[in-house]
């Protein structure tokens, strides 16, 4: 009787029971382990490993150009910043350590260009965002010929920066430019030379930068506005909320992530601007529009100081990396708060 009871209690999953496994060979457990199922630290399945390798093969065609055209020149530029590389085939390049960076600390012209670059970047990014937000709100309304207005709004975005610079040079032309002609027709004066005046060159260039970069900001904000459910606006209107309150409580929270992302990208792009300002003023007059990229370009290709120009590029990369770090930290904190 005792043996029968013990036999009943020791089922196939009882480690102390006397039953053998499913194969009948006296294993401890009744359910055999499947050899192809990986444990917590076991090898990956053969199919998954093959899938990972296939994914890398698919990514390589896009990854190789990035490594060759972006990462490679960046690393070469960083290494060049620690040398005295100059133009000339017969001149040998020597390793000088941090001497270029030490010279940069005392180069007032570079720090003046750095200050101008910050003024340019902020002066373009902030008005650009505000005007683009207003235009996006307008284009989001149910207006007649809205499709035509949206098409015209992205025309500056479709034009190369060189073409934009040439076009605006014609607008600012002191003798036959449309701006001075309009001022004369309105009886407001004889006009002025906007791009060569010490007081007007930088504001004139900033205005062009705002016009040229506003379409991409408008498109990004308009996409965010169209993804906002209209039911929320209707519910807020039924509750008696005005236009400003609906924007503050419904619209802005919906487009805030997009607004922060496009503003951070615009700030970085504007700080790195080169072609537009180079075509308009070439950094003049008197260095009033000499952005850091223009200063580094002149040092490298006008004066042949490749190592010194590379050190300037490293400083600009460091500044942009700090801006990106602040942006990413803010995005991560925002994600955790949600």
């Amino acid at each position: 009787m005792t043996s029968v009871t013990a036999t009943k209690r020791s089922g196939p999953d009882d480690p102390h029971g006397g039953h053998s496994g499913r194969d009948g060979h006296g294993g401890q457990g009744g359910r055999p382990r499947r050899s192809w199922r990986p444990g917590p630290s076991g090898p990956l399945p053969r199919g998954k490993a093959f899938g990972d390798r296939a994914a890398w093969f698919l990514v390589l065609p896009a990854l190789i150009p990035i490594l060759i055209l972006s990462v490679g020149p960046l690393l070469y530029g960083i290494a060049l910043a620690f040398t005295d590389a100059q133009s000339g085939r017969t001149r040998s390049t020597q390793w000088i350590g941090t001497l270029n960076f030490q010279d940069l600390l005392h180069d007032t012209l570079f720090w003046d260009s750095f200050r101008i670059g910050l003024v340019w970047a902020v002066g373009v990014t902030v008005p650009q965002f505000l005007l683009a937000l207003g235009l996006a709100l307008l284009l989001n309304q149910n207006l007649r010929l809205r499709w035509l207005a949206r098409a015209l709004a992205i025309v500056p975005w479709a034009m190369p920066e060189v073409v934009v610079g040439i076009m605006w040079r014609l607008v600012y032309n002191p003798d036959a430019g449309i701006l001075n002609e309009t001022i004369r027709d309105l009886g407001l004066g004889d006009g002025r030379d906007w791009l060569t005046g010490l007081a007007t060159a930088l504001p004139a260039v900033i205005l062009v930068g705002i016009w040229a970069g506003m379409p991409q900001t408008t498109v990004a904000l308009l996409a965010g506005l169209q993804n906002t459910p209209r039911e929320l606006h209707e519910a807020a209107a039924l509750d008696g909320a005005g236009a400003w309150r609906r924007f503050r409580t419904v619209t802005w929270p919906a487009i805030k992530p997009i607004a922060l992302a496009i503003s951070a990208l615009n700030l970085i792009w504007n700080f790195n601007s080169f072609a537009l300002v180079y075509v308009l003023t070439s950094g003049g007059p008197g260095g009033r529009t000499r952005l850091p990229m223009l200063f580094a370009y002149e040092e490298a290709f006008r004066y042949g100081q490749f190592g010194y120009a590379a050190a300037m590029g490293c400083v600009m990369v460091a500044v942009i990396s700090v801006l990106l770090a602040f942006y990413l930290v803010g995005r991560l904190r925002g994600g955790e708060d949600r």
Side-chain angles (χ1 to χ4, degrees), residues 55 185-186 267 271 337:
D185 293 341
L186 295 177
L267 186 64
F271 185 77
D337 292 340

Side-chain angles (χ1 to χ4, degrees), residues 43-311:
L44 291 175
R46 185 176 179 180
K48 180 174 176 56
F50 177 78
D52 292 341
R53 288 194 297 268
W56 276 108
F57 281 118
L58 293 175
V59 171
L60 278 179
L63 186 61
I64 291 176
I66 293 175
L67 294 175
I68 296 176
L69 301 177
S70 296
V71 179
L74 176 62
L75 296 178
Y76 177 73
I78 294 174
L80 200 66
F82 295 92
T83 66
D84 62 347
Q86 297 180 11
S87 60
R89 295 183 179 180
T90 59
R91 193 184 183 283
S92 61
T93 300
Q94 303 294 330
W95 183 269
I96 60 174
T98 60
L99 186 59
N100 286 328
F101 296 96
Q102 295 175 18
D103 293 340
L104 274 181
L105 292 177
H106 306 287
D107 192 342
T108 57
L109 292 178
F110 172 72
W111 294 113
D112 285 342
S113 71
F114 204 86
R115 176 185 56 81
I116 294 172
L118 292 177
V119 172
W120 154 267
V122 176
V124 172
T125 302
V126 175
Q128 189 179 87
F129 173 78
L130 296 177
L131 293 174
L133 179 60
L135 183 59
L137 290 171
L138 180 63
L139 295 178
N140 194 43
Q141 303 299 319
N142 191 15
L143 304 175
R144 295 182 60 184
L145 298 178
R146 182 175 59 177
W147 62 271
L148 180 61
R150 290 180 177 179
L152 294 176
I154 64 174
V155 168
W157 194 13
M159 300 172 62
E161 288 187 335
V162 175
V163 176
V164 172
I166 294 173
M167 183 186 70
W168 276 90
R169 285 193 66 175
L170 296 176
V171 172
Y172 284 135
N173 187 279
D175 299 323
I178 188 174
L179 181 58
N180 282 343
E181 288 292 335
T182 304
I183 291 176
R184 296 188 190 102
D185 293 341
L186 295 177
L188 300 178
D190 295 331
R192 59 196 308 171
D193 197 347
W194 299 94
L195 294 178
T196 59
L198 296 177
T200 59
L202 185 58
V205 173
I206 287 176
L207 178 63
V208 179
I210 294 172
W211 181 85
M214 195 170 65
Q216 60 187 7
T217 308
T218 302
V219 170
L221 294 176
L222 183 60
L225 291 173
Q226 291 181 336
N227 287 329
T228 305
R230 292 189 176 273
E231 292 80 4
L232 298 178
H233 291 278
E234 295 173 357
L238 291 176
D239 291 340
W244 169 248
R245 187 178 177 184
R246 290 200 303 272
F247 173 80
R248 184 169 53 87
T249 58
V250 178
T251 305
W252 178 248
I255 66 173
K256 184 178 178 180
I258 298 176
L260 293 177
I262 195 64
S263 298
L265 293 176
N266 283 339
L267 186 64
I268 294 171
W269 288 333
N270 292 327
F271 185 77
N272 285 329
S273 293
F274 173 80
L276 184 62
V277 181
Y278 182 77
V279 173
L280 286 170
T281 63
S282 297
R288 296 301 176 93
T289 60
R290 185 187 289 130
L291 304 181
M293 290 293 293
L294 284 172
F295 195 92
Y297 171 81
E298 291 179 352
E299 287 292 325
F301 299 103
R302 179 177 293 182
Y303 305 113
Q305 301 293 330
F306 296 134
Y308 194 57

Side-chain angles (χ1 to χ4, degrees), residues 125 220 255-269 318-336 338:
T125 302
I255 66 173
K256 184 178 178 180
I258 298 176
L260 293 177
I262 195 64
S263 298
L265 293 176
N266 283 339
L267 186 64
I268 294 171
W269 288 333
V319 172
I320 293 171
S321 299
V322 170
L323 294 176
L324 278 175
F326 278 115
Y327 166 70
L328 293 176
V329 169
R331 292 286 293 168
L332 291 175
R333 289 181 178 177
E336 291 176 356
R338 288 193 297 270

